[in-house]
Amino acid sequence: SRLTSIIVINLLLLHSVPIHAASPTASATPSRRVRLPLNKNRNGQFRRRFNKPFLPHPTLDTDLACLHSNGELLERLRGGGLLGGTKNTSSADSKSLSKTPSQEVVSTNKSQNKALRLGTFTITLLAIRLSILHWDTLKSSFSTFFDAERFRKAIIQNLNNIASKGNTGLLLYTFGFIFWEACGLPTSVVETAAGMAFGFQKGLLCSFVGKTAGSVLAFTLGRTLLSNIVGRKMEDSEPFGLIQRGVTRNPMLSAFIVRYSVFPQLIKNFGMSLTNGVTFPMFLLVIMVHGFPFSLIWAALGNDSSLRLRASESGETMAANVILSGLVLFVTAFGFLVSPAITGWWLADLRREN
């Protein structure tokens, strides 16, 4: 009981000593008093963890200029602690005091985005691992609901119906593909289907003409009827501002980089229409140089796929087309590796100029 009384008396004496009195510089340095509520951060470093039975007042008078040496020791003894170590600098105090609610919201959003990305990455890895471990079960389940032979026969029948329309089918496809390209939709699948339906030569001709005409239509609309709408959509876009800067510096090189880049098709067509350096003949040259090799590859791939389907229908087999497989592999590697790297280097160079 005597030991307990001594402990209680010491604690009461400890809490009766003000913090600013413990500092040797308190009398020499003019102080500024701030009343902090309980359980809040003080100076961005101290966290109050008072024990209610030993707390003499609901609030605490704190001297911001005297939180050194003895003051820190008293804080530790009273139950507080340094969140970032024992250092207490004026720069850390000013940063914590100047932190605005908007900065707190931004930091919270960043934390949430990091957590979301981490969760998505974890779920993706888990799904891949489960797919590998249970591949046989997934394959058998998929074959139960999907009849490959029936699907193959349906494709062949549709291809024969389209091919039987002759020139009418070619015209319908070409005009439809013009508006498809003008709307900025993906074209590789459509061009491959054209090669399957019309053959290599006709599919290549219709795809190249339709894609070129669709890009020209979008470029023309972007400079005439839709210029105000496109301008409002692009005015707050940082990539478009960099594209304008690049076009001002080197119009032809910038036009080719944008055309081969990973930007959406709408930016490639409508965005370039807002730049003053890219003329109509320059844009036409760029889309023809860019579009023809891809139309050639996709038409050849579609024609090869059609021939293999028809050969399998009659029980025949065809040897692998090494050249076509190499070209498809090159295009895939260029789209996923080379093109993003070149575009990123170009944009980084333009940002450094700013």
Side-chain angles (χ1 to χ4, degrees):
S1 60
R2 183 178 181 182
L3 179 61
T4 304
S5 301
I6 292 174
I7 293 174
V8 171
I9 292 172
N10 289 332
L11 288 174
L12 291 175
L13 291 175
L14 179 64
H15 280 276
S16 64
V17 179
I19 294 178
H20 58 83
S23 176
T25 59
S27 59
T29 305
S31 61
R32 179 166 56 93
R33 296 182 179 273
V34 177
R35 297 179 66 84
L36 296 178
L38 295 179
N39 301 324
K40 298 291 183 179
N41 289 348
R42 186 175 63 195
N43 293 348
Q45 293 183 345
F46 292 100
R47 184 180 299 278
R48 305 299 301 165
R49 296 192 299 271
F50 288 106
N51 212 351
K52 289 184 178 181
F54 300 100
L55 187 64
H57 301 288
T59 58
L60 179 69
D61 292 336
T62 304
D63 192 342
L64 296 179
C66 303
L67 294 178
H68 305 287
S69 61
N70 296 334
E72 292 176 359
L73 178 60
L74 288 175
E75 280 298 319
R76 288 175 177 270
L77 292 175
R78 288 183 174 183
L82 290 175
L83 296 178
T86 59
K87 294 183 180 180
N88 183 20
T89 61
S90 59
S91 60
D93 295 341
S94 60
K95 288 181 180 179
S96 62
L97 291 175
S98 61
K99 189 173 183 181
T100 61
S102 61
Q103 292 175 341
E104 295 180 357
V105 172
V106 170
S107 61
T108 303
N109 292 336
K110 288 183 179 179
S111 302
Q112 292 178 353
N113 292 334
K114 288 181 181 179
L116 181 60
R117 287 195 296 267
L118 180 61
T120 304
F121 181 72
T122 305
I123 293 174
T124 303
L125 288 181
L126 181 61
I128 294 174
R129 181 170 178 79
L130 291 177
S131 300
I132 294 174
L133 293 177
H134 303 283
W135 174 250
D136 294 334
T137 305
L138 292 174
K139 187 177 180 180
S140 60
S141 301
F142 183 75
S143 61
T144 302
F145 296 100
F146 179 75
D147 190 351
E149 185 65 22
R150 183 178 178 182
F151 181 70
R152 183 181 61 82
K153 290 182 179 180
I155 291 178
I156 294 175
Q157 183 179 358
N158 291 328
L159 292 176
N160 292 331
N161 293 335
I162 295 174
S164 64
K165 296 184 182 297
N167 294 331
T168 304
L170 289 173
L171 290 175
L172 291 176
Y173 166 75
T174 303
F175 281 105
F177 195 43
I178 290 174
F179 291 100
W180 183 275
E181 170 67 21
C183 293
L185 300 175
T187 59
S188 56
V189 178
V190 181
E191 293 179 86
T192 304
M196 296 178 68
F198 304 114
F200 173 70
Q201 295 181 353
K202 294 181 179 179
L204 172 61
L205 178 63
C206 295
S207 296
F208 179 66
V209 171
K211 184 163 62 175
T212 304
S215 298
V216 171
L217 176 62
F219 186 82
T220 304
L221 291 175
R223 286 202 166 176
T224 55
L225 299 178
L226 302 179
S227 59
N228 293 332
I229 298 176
V230 177
R232 287 195 297 269
K233 295 293 184 181
M234 297 291 180
E235 62 182 358
D236 296 330
S237 175
E238 181 193 3
F240 179 69
L242 296 175
I243 290 173
Q244 283 185 316
R245 191 179 306 160
V247 169
T248 303
R249 185 176 65 176
N250 193 331
M252 182 65 74
L253 178 62
S254 301
F256 271 107
I257 291 178
V258 170
R259 200 67 194 180
Y260 281 97
S261 69
V262 294
F263 288 124
Q265 202 70 11
L266 290 175
I267 293 182
K268 294 180 180 180
N269 292 330
F270 287 100
M272 295 303 293
S273 67
L274 298 180
T275 57
N276 296 327
V278 178
T279 61
F280 185 83
M282 184 187 299
F283 180 78
L284 182 61
L285 175 64
V286 169
I287 62 175
M288 292 178 67
V289 172
H290 167 267
F292 183 77
F294 287 99
S295 297
L296 182 70
I297 293 174
W298 301 134
L301 180 62
N303 181 58
D304 184 75
S305 302
S306 177
L307 293 177
R308 292 181 184 279
L309 283 174
R310 298 181 192 278
S312 64
E313 187 180 16
S314 59
E316 299 178 358
T317 57
M318 295 178 59
N321 193 333
V322 181
I323 298 177
L324 182 60
S325 301
L327 289 175
V328 173
L329 181 62
F330 171 77
V331 169
T332 304
F334 183 85
F336 283 96
L337 299 176
V338 180
S339 176
I342 294 176
T343 306
W345 167 80
W346 180 65
L347 293 177
D349 185 54
L350 293 174
R351 286 192 180 96
R352 283 194 296 269
E353 288 187 355
N354 193 21

